[in-house]
Amino acid sequence: MKYLICVFLTLTMPCWAVVSTSEENPQRSYLDTYPVLFPGDNRAKIRSAYQVALLELALSYSKYNFDVKPNGRDIHRARNHMLLEENQFVHILWTATTPELEENFFPVKIPVLRGLLGFRIPLVHADTPDILKFVSTPEDLKQLVAGQLVIWSDTKILRSNDIPVTNGSNFGALFHMLSIKRFDYFPRSIAEVYNDWSMFRALPIAIDKHIAIYYPNVMYFFVNKQNTFLHKEILDGLEKAIQNGSFEKLFHLYHAQNIEKANLRNRRILTLKNPLLPDQLPTHRPELWLDLINQ
């Protein structure tokens, strides 16, 4: 029966994807390799290269062997959440935290992007590169329309601040919508905006030079609630990487150049509220955060 199940599952997923890293099977061997699957295909691995590298860094300190790889399927976020709840085909997610996510999954409470996720640089249409030149307050943003993906928490955050939002059906569609002026600007994290612009540079899209939008936003790694094994190995590894400086070194390798390009000193920073933030954040540990506002 085990082999029949495995053959059936290979129609949709690799056979090794059924291996569990939860506490359901506590007998482990240092000789085995445990798959750690995240959603998406190789494109997702490229787009999330830093997160994958950080996860691999954390797990490199473990006595166990792990193989971090995409599960090969680009499916809807709700489906990925369901698979993570089952701890099958998805063993880990990284996303902006919310109270609902922390209730449903087991967060590794180390900010993956050190708070950088909350700093947003807008993409604008190349014909209107100065559309945000005279925007000085969040109130001014209410006169313009932002673009966001409907399933992203950013949509709820912007709308909770009474900022108009037009939603796209998928990530790539948003860039094409901006290129035909379906909305005025597309806020992207400093960690994302320059790579995004490069990927879609054939479209008439430009990077705004005038403002940055900031709202507190924290990305965590999330695992299945019962997967205390994987949670512990990631958390312990991240703590070791923080202590020996390799976390910060990796972060700067991927993000220092983008932070410099963002030139926040010469931008007006518009601060918004984030009603989706959980009450308990590791704000008592300053070593986990960047301070870009007071730099």
Side-chain angles (χ1 to χ4, degrees):
M1 177 62 73
K2 185 191 319 184
Y3 297 108
L4 290 175
I5 292 173
C6 195
V7 170
F8 172 77
L9 286 172
T10 55
L11 297 175
T12 55
M13 291 287 179
C15 187
W16 46 258
V18 301
V19 177
S20 174
T21 52
S22 74
E23 286 302 307
E24 295 170 1
N25 181 16
Q27 300 299 320
R28 308 186 196 286
S29 169
Y30 297 135
L31 301 179
D32 290 336
T33 297
Y34 299 94
V36 180
L37 304 178
F38 60 88
D41 51 22
N42 284 329
R43 290 173 299 174
K45 185 175 182 178
I46 294 170
R47 281 193 59 217
S48 300
Y50 164 72
Q51 288 91 328
V52 173
L54 181 61
L55 180 58
E56 289 176 334
L57 173 65
L59 293 175
S60 72
Y61 293 102
S62 174
K63 292 180 282 189
Y64 298 95
N65 300 311
F66 294 92
D67 185 15
V68 177
K69 60 178 65 180
N71 64 12
R73 294 294 182 268
D74 184 11
I75 58 179
H76 195 273
R77 177 176 293 196
R79 174 65 174 161
N80 286 324
H81 286 190
M82 187 185 77
L83 291 172
L84 184 58
E85 286 181 359
E86 298 170 353
N87 203 48
Q88 298 289 346
F89 313 125
V90 175
H91 298 134
I92 191 162
L93 297 169
W94 43 83
T95 188
T97 190
T98 66
E100 181 182 9
L101 284 169
E102 293 196 13
E103 181 178 350
N104 293 336
F105 304 112
F106 198 178
V108 181
K109 292 193 173 183
I110 302 291
V112 170
L113 284 166
R114 304 181 66 202
L116 187 63
L117 186 66
F119 288 88
R120 303 273 157 167
I121 302 296
L123 294 169
V124 296
H125 197 281
D127 289 347
T128 55
D130 294 325
I131 193 170
L132 301 172
K133 184 174 183 178
F134 299 106
V135 170
S136 300
T137 67
E139 194 70 24
D140 295 334
L141 281 179
K142 297 176 184 180
Q143 311 309 312
L144 300 168
V145 179
Q148 290 290 332
L149 203 60
V150 66
I151 61 173
W152 287 345
S153 60
D154 306 279
T155 291
K156 293 180 180 179
I157 293 168
L158 291 171
R159 285 180 174 156
S160 73
N161 285 270
D162 298 321
I163 293 171
V165 179
T166 292
N167 290 128
S169 58
N170 62 68
F171 178 69
L174 286 164
F175 296 89
H176 291 278
M177 291 169 70
L178 178 59
S179 74
I180 60 174
K181 301 183 180 180
R182 289 281 304 278
F183 46 78
D184 298 306
Y185 64 103
F186 181 15
R188 298 293 288 149
S189 163
I190 289 176
E192 304 161 326
V193 65
Y194 298 101
N195 184 60
D196 289 350
W197 177 81
S198 180
M199 282 197 306
F200 293 93
R201 63 190 307 166
L203 297 174
I205 293 172
I207 299 173
D208 172 69
K209 298 179 180 179
H210 305 292
I211 71 168
I213 299 168
Y214 173 71
Y215 42 85
N217 211 10
V218 182
M219 176 183 285
Y220 288 149
F221 290 124
F222 288 88
V223 302
N224 179 279
K225 267 190 173 265
Q226 280 70 52
N227 201 342
T228 56
F229 167 60
L230 183 58
H231 184 279
K232 182 180 186 302
E233 298 305 308
I234 295 172
L235 180 59
D236 289 352
L238 288 175
E239 292 288 7
K240 289 174 183 176
I242 291 166
Q243 291 169 14
N244 67 24
S246 58
F247 187 133
E248 185 171 4
K249 183 178 179 180
L250 183 71
F251 178 87
H252 283 287
L253 176 66
Y254 278 87
H255 301 300
Q257 187 175 10
N258 289 340
I259 292 171
E260 188 65 27
K261 283 182 185 178
N263 192 20
L264 290 177
R265 298 181 188 86
N266 294 312
R267 291 178 181 268
R268 294 182 298 281
I269 299 178
L270 282 57
T271 301
L272 307 179
K273 296 178 180 178
N274 181 358
L276 304 182
L277 270 187
D279 293 332
Q280 295 183 345
L281 296 172
T283 53
H284 61 289
R285 298 184 61 185
E287 73 274 16
L288 302 183
W289 307 91
L290 290 175
D291 185 4
L292 295 182
I293 291 180
N294 298 311
Q295 65 178 355

